[in-house]
Amino acid sequence: MEGIGMTARVSAFARAMHARNRDQVYLDPLAEKLLSPSEMQEIASSMSQGIGFFCPGFQGTPEEGLRWIVEHQLAPSPLGRAAFAESALEQSGARQYLILAAGLDSFGLRLPDWAWDMEIFELDLPGPSRDKRARIAAAGLTVPENLHLLEGDLSDANWMDALRTHPAFDPERISFCSLLGIVYYLKPEDFRALLRQLAKVLPAGSRIAMDYPARNPSAQFDRQSALARGAGEAMQAAYTRQEMEKLLQSAGFRVERDMNPAEITETYFAPYNLRNPDHPINAAENVNYCLAERI
């Protein structure tokens, strides 16, 4: 991969568009800075033209169509999973944070007050990692001293070398790890191997947060899959809660929390929806959030 993939760019686009609202489920003020104006326009145009696919029979302006697509299709997953992971991270008290397949995640650049002394390691493929560095520079942003942008391929058994050999990484320090927007694109055997590799590098008490496709086909999930295929990043698998729990246990993790769409909506979207009844946002169907502890 030469640069940041389309799925990561669309995710950043959704966060950027949502940040323009006067009220937010989750605020990422840097998402738009990591996309060029031409990328914002290109994605907006492409999505507006696809309103007939997302919502057959839609009546409204292109701007209204784009807002519908953002609120109902693009934003729920990026907003909800980011809120879930960052809330769990803050509550965990961990001072070492691993962001796998980081894409255009901006946490390490935003650096909330409670994370100023946290060592943050982003891992991504060489192409996307270098692309992100270039975007950060073009946006006039500064990489904090405690943010470390590492290159590595999760499909390579030796991907952890970049992490283990980094002078700021402490293998004995309780850590927090996020795998956001990743599980969809991993074959079950590759996901299992990744969990076992993480178990080797994370000490007991560390946690991982992820979103994963639940095994419950629906028209909305079909549309999400089609969108991913169109971006050249086909989804590979889905899991029941029981399957996910068994998979995590086999790798040395205990499920601490597993949230279904109804629970996600109630926790992260309901307050926003009460304030914005004309533009409610609900959690994506057939996507669960999971927090697991290394045992």
Side-chain angles (χ1 to χ4, degrees):
M1 184 179 291
E2 295 300 320
I4 299 291
M6 180 54 73
T7 300
R9 282 182 278 160
V10 170
S11 177
F13 172 82
R15 299 195 308 273
M17 292 297 292
H18 186 66
R20 293 180 178 182
N21 295 347
R22 288 179 297 179
D23 189 18
Q24 297 91 20
V25 171
Y26 167 87
L27 177 60
D28 183 349
L30 298 185
E32 189 163 351
K33 291 181 179 294
L34 296 175
L35 292 169
S36 69
S38 62
E39 283 177 315
M40 289 289 294
Q41 181 57 44
E42 178 186 353
I43 296 173
S45 177
S46 176
M47 293 300 162
S48 294
Q49 293 172 16
I51 186 63
F53 172 76
F54 291 107
C55 185
F58 178 84
Q59 298 293 321
T61 66
E63 291 76 17
E64 291 170 335
L66 177 61
R67 179 162 188 169
W68 189 96
I69 291 173
V70 170
E71 292 176 342
H72 293 272
Q73 293 293 326
L74 304 185
S77 284
L79 299 179
R81 69 193 182 202
F84 169 75
E86 292 186 20
S87 174
L89 170 62
E90 182 177 11
Q91 294 171 16
S92 75
R95 312 318 297 163
Q96 194 161 254
Y97 182 24
L98 284 58
I99 307 174
L100 303 189
L104 293 175
D105 187 295
S106 69
F107 177 83
L109 297 169
R110 288 182 280 115
L111 210 60
D113 292 341
W114 50 268
W116 68 270
D117 63 343
M118 183 182 296
E119 295 294 341
I120 303 167
F121 302 86
E122 289 193 8
L123 187 89
D124 216 329
L125 292 166
S129 183
R130 294 166 192 170
D131 184 0
K132 186 170 185 177
R133 287 180 180 275
R135 291 170 182 268
I136 292 171
L141 301 174
T142 301
V143 177
E145 291 185 1
N146 59 328
L147 172 59
H148 315 288
L149 306 178
L150 310 182
E151 298 178 7
D153 186 344
L154 294 179
S155 65
D156 185 336
N158 298 317
W159 69 265
M160 290 186 295
D161 289 351
L163 181 65
R164 285 172 165 160
T165 59
H166 196 283
F169 179 71
D170 183 352
E172 298 182 0
R173 195 175 197 181
I174 291 179
S175 303
F176 191 96
C177 177
S178 64
L179 296 82
L180 304 183
I182 299 176
V183 180
Y184 310 82
Y185 308 107
L186 295 176
K187 294 179 180 179
E189 59 270 25
D190 294 332
F191 179 43
R192 185 179 299 107
L194 175 59
L195 289 174
R196 289 176 176 171
Q197 289 173 322
L198 283 172
K200 293 178 181 179
V201 76
L202 297 177
S206 297
R207 289 175 172 81
I208 57 175
M210 71 182 85
D211 54 328
Y212 70 91
R215 192 189 300 280
N216 181 23
S218 72
Q220 179 173 345
F221 192 70
D222 288 343
R223 288 194 292 270
Q224 293 170 338
S225 298
L227 187 63
R229 286 197 301 272
E233 301 173 22
M235 295 185 181
Q236 298 290 338
Y239 305 87
T240 64
R241 275 188 173 186
Q242 294 74 20
E243 289 171 337
M244 179 58 68
E245 183 175 11
K246 184 177 180 180
L247 189 60
L248 285 162
Q249 286 179 341
S250 69
F253 293 91
R254 176 188 65 84
V255 173
E256 187 171 316
R257 189 186 317 158
D258 191 301
M259 304 178 71
N260 63 31
E263 294 166 330
I264 294 167
T265 294
E266 179 62 26
T267 302
Y268 300 108
F269 296 97
Y272 172 88
N273 292 342
L274 284 174
R275 299 189 301 269
N276 299 273
D278 294 334
H279 296 281
I281 302 178
N282 296 305
E285 293 180 11
N286 304 309
V287 174
N288 282 19
Y289 298 166
C290 181
L291 179 67
E293 181 184 6
R294 176 74 172 93
I295 54 178

